[in-house]
Amino acid sequence: FFQDKTGLRRVIVEFFVLKEWSSQDIAIFYTMNDKKEKIYSDLIEAGDNLKLEFELDVAGSIEVFFNNELTVKRSVNELDRDG
């Protein structure tokens, strides 16, 4: 009935696409125990901003890609507890 959330951390991913840029294909992957899963994917238009919130296990890591280029890779455990 109740899920144990002691090993989870709230992760906030927030960014914006500059008006001068072209649209960006954003993809976010979560990896844990050699299993990689896409948890978000969308085309973000120039001038738009985005704020996403996830609850992820601290043993995993996230990767953020802009137009198929790795932009950020971090362990969930390294991320600030408040996002």
Side-chain angles (χ1 to χ4, degrees):
F1 288 54
F2 295 101
Q3 180 182 7
D4 179 13
K5 294 188 175 190
T6 56
L8 298 180
R9 177 157 305 157
R10 182 173 63 122
V11 175
I12 296 173
V13 179
E14 187 173 15
F15 51 84
F16 59 93
V17 177
L18 297 175
K19 290 179 183 177
E20 300 80 23
W21 292 4
S22 61
S23 298
Q24 300 287 309
D25 184 19
I26 307 296
I28 301 175
F29 291 87
Y30 175 68
T31 304
M32 186 169 146
N33 299 330
D34 297 325
K35 181 181 176 191
K36 187 173 186 174
E37 177 182 356
K38 185 185 288 186
I39 58 174
Y40 180 82
S41 178
D42 201 4
L43 182 66
I44 307 300
E45 300 295 327
D48 284 354
N49 58 27
L50 185 66
K51 182 176 180 178
L52 304 168
E53 186 173 321
F54 304 98
E55 233 178 33
L56 302 173
D57 193 293
V58 296
S61 64
I62 63 168
E63 297 174 334
V64 180
F65 289 82
F66 279 59
N67 293 334
N68 296 317
E69 283 190 42
L70 180 61
T71 305
V72 175
K73 181 177 182 178
R74 293 270 161 66
S75 163
V76 173
N77 195 42
E78 294 174 337
L79 299 171
D80 184 353
R81 290 184 185 276
D82 295 325

